Each structure stands twice: as structure tokens, then as C-alpha cells.
């Protein structure tokens, strides 16, 4: 028996009735990745990051992009080597063992579910700004924020979460096809922002470039600096890993997953650098930091209210695609954990369309609760913590499997795998250390709760452990 519990074989045939339908091709997967990456991170968290790092938030985006690019290479190798649903959870199960896999799966709850909630809150801010500035309609303040912000509930965030849940219940292919349309809307809107904002860029807005320094440091009880911003805007990049959760549903995993993961990461990083550079250069970073919808705000400050309304409207239409991608990923993680016996088996049942309906419903309700009652910044911090744990596990799993199974044919091989793996691990640890202490503490508490649940239920009901007994 492995130190961290039994190891899952690299390949296995799943039980009848518990396999997902193969309905996705590479255009769906590229759109799935871009749909997950380009969203609240660039539309909303650009402002939050600017408040922590000033113009240096551009470096924060670049550093996060580097770490995530290395992580994307690790994901691509493992997704094509182990074309089964489950993403980081499944890879860790195959390389390190069941207990470590459970920890990663538990961390992925923070990543996907809270990522959905983060985007829902960002979507709500854009809706409110669009209605007030573009249409002149004021919504009741107590229905636009949770108790921590002086309101009752963020009702728009709750409603959009439930609407996306309903879309996913229809089926994966139908959801992915709609996602392609929403991704095109987002890219067109961001392209319009770049074209209009670029002529207004002023060099003076980049000076001083790092007003709060590079390393994260405490100022009046809050961490600031380029790395503090990186710990927040890291959220903007990790949507690509949702593509790997679709491995089992890809028609041609070797080709489709490679194109989907690497392609979506490359396209999204380029768009992020352009948009962030233009936004910071066209308006003082203090103004951007104070806005919940920074891109429309910049356009309004440039005397372009109509374009601002259109870009804000595009965000309202397209941001739900990010919620769709993340909720899709979370439901698949829960599905595989249940199929492995670590969660109740009822969760692993699929409907006539090959979708895990029950877990999608439960995930949607969980997401709606956090979106309705928890502030944006806190949700993003906790979501990032879960993602960082998952990325470390994937990089480590890639290195271990390359060493343990060097002769297994790989459709995609990570170049300089030791270096790429260590950059991913080191970068993620560094970013985690830049998170606020309260977020680090809550993450560790969450892990302890997860281990208690595992040893109370998962350990005794593990399908693989029973097979090996």
C-alpha cells in the first residue's frame, strides 16, 4: 500500500452507467478554457489588483501568467496521459495516492465553487453599474450586497448562479456550444476596449510603477505590493484547468485536450496583457481601484459613455460563461470522487444526457449561497488558495509519473519537465505566502475538516481500497 493510500491505475474502464458521454471536440475545449480564463479576473479584479500594487499590477498579471503557463504544460501532459474526468484529483490519485487525492479534491471545492461565486458577484457589480449609468435604473441597495457589506443579500449574484446551474442540467454539449457564443462576445468587447483606450494611454499614469513595492507587506492591516496583487489576480488565469476536467467527454483526448489547454492559455494571456496595460495607462490606478467595473469606468472617463455601456453590457452577457465553466468543473470533480466511493454513490449517477444532474444541482445551490452572502475579495482569496494547492499537486504528480512510468507513451510531453514542475511548485508556494494570513488560516482549517470527513466516510467506502483488500 502506498504511503498516501492506494494508487489509481493510469487507465481503467468505468462501470456501466457511470461514464460521461463523449460529446466535446477541440473548439468546445478552447472556448471552455477561454470562457473560464477571461472573465471576472480582467473585468473586475483588475481594479482590486491596481489598488494593491498600482501600475505594478501589470507585473502581477505577468508573474501569474508565467506560473499558470508552466502549470498548463503539466496539466496538458497529465490530461492526455490520463483522459478521465477529475482533473487534479484524478492525477494525484494516480501518482501519489488516495489520501493526497482527497486533499486535492477538497481543495478544488474552494477553487471551483468559490470561483463561481466570485464571478457571480463581479457580474452583479457590472449589472448594477450598467443599469444605473446606462439605463438610469436604481435597484434597492439591500438586495445588492451581503450582510458583511451592509446589505441583506446579493440577489443578482444568486439569480445568475441558479440560471447557470439550470443551463448545465440541460447537458454538457449544449452548454459548451452556448459558451462558444459567449466567449466571442467577450473577446469582441475587450477588443473594442483596447482599440478605444490605446490612444488615451499616458506615460505619467505608470509613474510610480510600484508605489507599494514588490513583496507583499502589511499596511494598516492589509497586504499590499505586487505579490499581494498577484495573490488576488491569480484568480484571473486558472480557468484553463477546467478543460482537463472534461477529459472523459473529449472525442479525441490526445489532440483535443492539447489544443484546448495550451491554446486557451496562450490566447487569454495575450488578451490580458493588452487589456491591463491599456486600462492602467488610460486612467490613474486609484480611480480603477475604486470601481467595481473598471473597464466601463475607464471608457466613461474617456468620454465614451455609449461604448462603456456596450462593454458593460457584454460583460453582463458573457461573464456567466465563466460561472458555467467553473460550475461544470466542480460538478465533474464531485462526480469522480463519488464514483470512487469517497462521496455517496448517489452523487455519481448521470441522467439520460450523460450529465451528473444531482451534483450539478447541489453545486449550484452551494455557489448561490456564497455569491449571495460573502464579499468579492474574500471569496477570490479563498478560491485562489484552493487553486494553488491543486497546481502544486499536478506539477508534483507530473514529475512522479514521469519518473515512475517513463516508458508509457505520452501524446504531449512537458519540455524540461523538472524545471517547469519546480517553477510551478515554487511559484504557487510563493503566491500562497502572499495571501492574507486569515485566508491562509481558513484554508488550513478547511483541509483539516476535509481530512476528518475522509476518515469518517471516504476511507471506509473507497471503491479502490475495497478492490485491493
Amino acid at each position: 500500500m502506498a504511503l498516501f493510500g492506494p494508487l489509481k491505475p493510469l487507465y481503467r474502464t468505468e462501470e456501466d452507467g457511470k461514464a460521461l458521454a463523449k460529446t466535446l471536440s477541440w473548439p468546445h475545449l478552447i472556448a471552455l478554457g477561454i470562457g473560464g480564463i477571461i472573465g471576472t479576473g480582467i473585468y473586475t479584479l483588475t481594479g482590486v489588483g491596481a489598488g494593491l500594487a498600482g501600475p505594478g499590477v501589470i507585473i502581477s498579471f505577468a508573474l501569474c501568467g508565467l506560473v499558470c503557463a508552466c502549470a498548463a504544460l503539466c496539466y496538458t501532459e497529465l490530461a492526455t496521459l490520463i483522459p478521465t474526468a477529475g482533473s487534479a484529483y484524478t492525477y494525484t490519485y494516480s501518482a501519489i495516492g488516495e489520501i493526497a487525492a482527497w486533499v486535492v479534491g477538497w481543495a478544488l471545492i474552494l477553487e471551483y465553487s468559490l470561483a463561481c461565486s466570485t464571478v457571480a458577484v463581479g457580474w452583479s457589480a457590472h449589472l448594477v453599474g450598467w443599469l444605473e449609468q446606462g439605463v438610469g435604473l436604481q435597484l434597492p441597495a439591500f438586495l445588492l450586497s451581503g450582510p458583511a457589506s451592509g446589505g441583506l443579500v446579493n440577489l443578482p449574484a444568486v439569480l445568475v448562479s441558479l440560471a447557470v446551474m439550470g443551463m448545465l442540467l440541460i447537458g454538457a454539449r449544449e452548454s459548451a456550444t452556448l459558451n462558444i457564443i459567449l466567449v466571442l462576445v467577450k473577446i469582441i468587447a475587450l477588443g473594442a476596449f483596447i482599440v478605444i483606450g490605446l490612444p488615451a494611454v499616458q506615460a505619467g499614469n505608470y509613474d510610480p510603477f510600484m508605489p507599494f513595492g514588490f513583496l507583499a507587506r502589511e499596511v494598516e492591516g492589509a497586504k499590499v505590493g505586487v505579490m499581494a496583487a498577484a495573490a488576488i489576480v491569480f484568480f484571473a488565469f486558472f480557468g484553463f484547468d477546467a478543460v482537463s476536467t472534461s477529459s472523459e467527454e473529449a472525442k479525441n483526448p490526445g489532440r483535443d485536450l492539447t489544443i484546448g489547454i495550451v491554446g486557451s492559455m496562450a490566447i487569454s494571456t495575450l488578451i490580458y496583457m493588452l487589456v491591463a496595460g491599456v486600462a492602467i495607462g488610460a486612467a490613474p490606478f486609484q480611480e480603477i481601484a475604486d470601481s467595481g467595473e473598471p473597464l466601463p469606468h475607464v471608457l466613461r472617463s474617456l468620454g465614451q459613455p455609449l461604448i462603456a455601456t456596450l462593454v458593460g453590457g457584454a460583460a453582463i452577457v458573457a461573464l456567466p460563461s465563466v460561472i458555467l465553466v467553473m460550475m461544470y468543473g466542480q460538478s465533474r470533480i464531485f462526480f469522480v470522487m463519488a464514483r470512487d466511493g469517497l462521496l455517496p454513490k448517489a452523487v455519481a449517477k448521470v441522467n439520460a444526457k450523460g450529465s451528473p444532474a444531482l451534483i450539478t444541482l447541489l453545486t449550484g445551490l452551494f455557489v448561490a449561497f456564497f455569491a449571495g452572502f460573502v464579499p468579492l475579495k474574500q471569496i477570490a482569496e479563498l478560491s485562489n488558495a484552493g487553486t494553488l494547492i491543486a497546481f502544486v499537486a499536478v506539477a508534483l504528480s507530473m514529475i512522479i509519473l514521469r519518473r515512475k512510468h517513463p516508458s508509457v507513451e505520452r501524446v504531449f510531453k512537458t519540455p524540461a519537465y523538472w524545471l517547469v514542475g519546480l517553477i510551478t511548485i515554487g511559484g504557487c508556494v510563493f503566491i500562497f505566502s502572499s495571501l492574507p494570513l486569515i485566508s491562509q488560516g481558513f484554508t488550513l482549517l478547511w483541509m483539516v475538516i476535509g481530512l476528518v470527513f475522509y476518515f469518517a466516510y471516504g476511507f471506509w467506502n473507497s471503491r479502490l481500497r475495497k478492490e485491493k483488500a
Side-chain angles (χ1 to χ4, degrees):
M1 183 178 295
L3 178 61
F4 293 97
L7 298 173
K8 180 185 287 188
L10 294 185
Y11 306 96
R12 72 179 298 158
T13 301
E14 303 303 343
E15 296 176 2
D16 292 339
K18 292 188 178 180
L20 297 168
K22 294 183 179 295
T23 58
L24 306 180
S25 55
W26 68 263
H28 292 112
L29 298 182
I30 282 187
L32 200 65
I34 296 175
I37 298 169
I38 297 179
T40 292
I42 196 65
Y43 276 108
T44 302
L45 292 181
T46 299
V48 177
L52 298 176
V57 72
I58 298 173
I59 297 179
S60 303
F61 274 117
L63 291 173
C64 291
L66 173 62
V67 173
C68 289
C70 291
L73 293 173
C74 300
Y75 265 94
T76 303
E77 175 169 329
L78 293 179
T80 52
L81 178 66
I82 311 172
T84 304
S87 186
Y89 161 80
T90 296
Y91 311 148
T92 306
Y93 210 147
S94 298
I96 305 175
E98 184 177 274
I99 298 176
W102 170 265
V103 169
V104 171
W106 195 250
L108 288 174
I109 297 175
L110 287 181
E111 174 182 348
Y112 286 117
S113 295
L114 297 187
C116 290
S117 302
T118 302
V119 179
V121 174
W123 180 87
S124 177
H126 277 82
L127 176 66
V128 172
W130 185 79
L131 290 175
E132 292 180 352
Q133 300 291 334
V135 183
L137 177 64
Q138 294 276 350
L139 296 178
F142 72 94
L143 294 179
L144 302 178
S145 61
S149 302
L152 176 64
V153 62
N154 192 327
L155 185 60
V158 171
L159 293 178
V160 73
S161 300
L162 297 178
V164 172
M165 176 194 73
M167 184 63 208
L168 277 173
L169 289 173
I170 296 174
R173 181 179 178 84
E174 293 81 355
S175 301
T177 301
L178 173 64
N179 184 57
I180 292 177
I181 298 172
L182 297 180
V183 165
L184 290 175
V185 171
K186 281 192 289 190
I187 291 178
I188 292 171
L190 293 175
F193 173 81
I194 293 170
V195 170
I196 294 172
L198 191 58
V201 169
Q202 300 179 28
N205 287 332
Y206 296 114
D207 185 28
F209 192 70
M210 292 190 292
F212 307 114
F214 179 78
L215 296 177
R217 59 190 179 90
E218 290 255 352
V219 175
E220 297 180 357
K223 282 190 175 182
V224 296
V226 169
M227 286 309 302
I232 299 298
V233 303
F234 182 80
F235 173 88
F237 283 94
F238 62 70
F240 73 85
D241 66 334
V243 178
S244 69
T245 68
S246 67
S247 300
E248 194 171 319
E249 292 162 279
K251 293 179 179 178
N252 184 345
R255 180 199 66 186
D256 296 342
L257 289 171
T258 301
I259 296 174
I261 295 176
V262 177
S264 62
M265 188 68 204
I267 294 170
S268 299
T269 300
L270 176 62
I271 293 173
Y272 266 21
M273 294 301 101
L274 290 172
V275 171
V278 169
I280 296 294
F285 76 87
Q286 296 92 340
E287 291 186 14
I288 298 175
D290 293 334
S291 176
E293 32 142 25
L295 303 190
H297 174 82
V298 170
L299 291 171
R300 283 193 289 267
S301 71
L302 298 178
Q304 298 286 349
L306 177 59
I307 302 300
T309 299
L310 293 176
V311 170
I316 293 169
V317 172
L319 280 180
S321 70
V322 185
I323 307 174
L324 185 150
V325 172
M326 298 299 177
M327 197 177 293
Y328 168 91
Q330 178 62 85
S331 65
R332 269 53 182 178
I333 296 295
F334 276 138
F335 168 79
V336 178
M337 293 174 75
R339 192 167 63 183
D340 289 336
L342 304 186
L343 292 174
K345 289 186 177 181
V347 175
K349 291 182 179 179
V350 297
N351 60 19
K353 287 182 173 286
S355 297
L358 176 60
I359 197 58
T360 299
L361 177 64
L362 295 176
T363 300
L365 296 175
F366 184 84
V367 167
F369 173 79
F370 274 89
F373 296 100
V374 183
L376 174 71
K377 185 172 180 289
Q378 282 80 357
I379 305 175
E381 290 168 350
L382 294 173
S383 179
N384 286 353
T387 307
L388 292 164
I389 293 171
F391 280 13
V392 168
V394 168
L396 187 59
S397 296
M398 184 273 294
I399 294 173
I400 290 174
L401 290 177
R402 187 71 77 90
R403 298 290 294 176
K404 289 174 62 176
H405 302 282
S407 60
V408 174
E409 183 179 353
R410 287 166 168 80
V411 176
F412 176 87
K413 298 183 71 172
T414 302
Y417 76 97
W418 269 108
L419 177 61
V420 170
L422 291 177
I423 289 176
T424 303
I425 295 170
C428 288
V429 171
F430 190 28
I431 293 173
F432 184 86
S433 69
S434 301
L435 283 168
L437 290 177
I438 189 170
S439 296
Q440 295 175 2
F442 182 86
T443 302
L444 295 176
L445 176 61
W446 178 256
M447 293 298 105
V448 171
I449 293 172
L451 285 172
V452 170
F453 187 91
Y454 169 78
F455 284 108
Y457 181 88
F459 180 88
W460 306 103
N461 294 277
S462 166
R463 174 183 167 190
L464 189 58
R465 190 179 295 276
K466 288 179 179 179
E467 291 176 356
K468 291 181 176 294

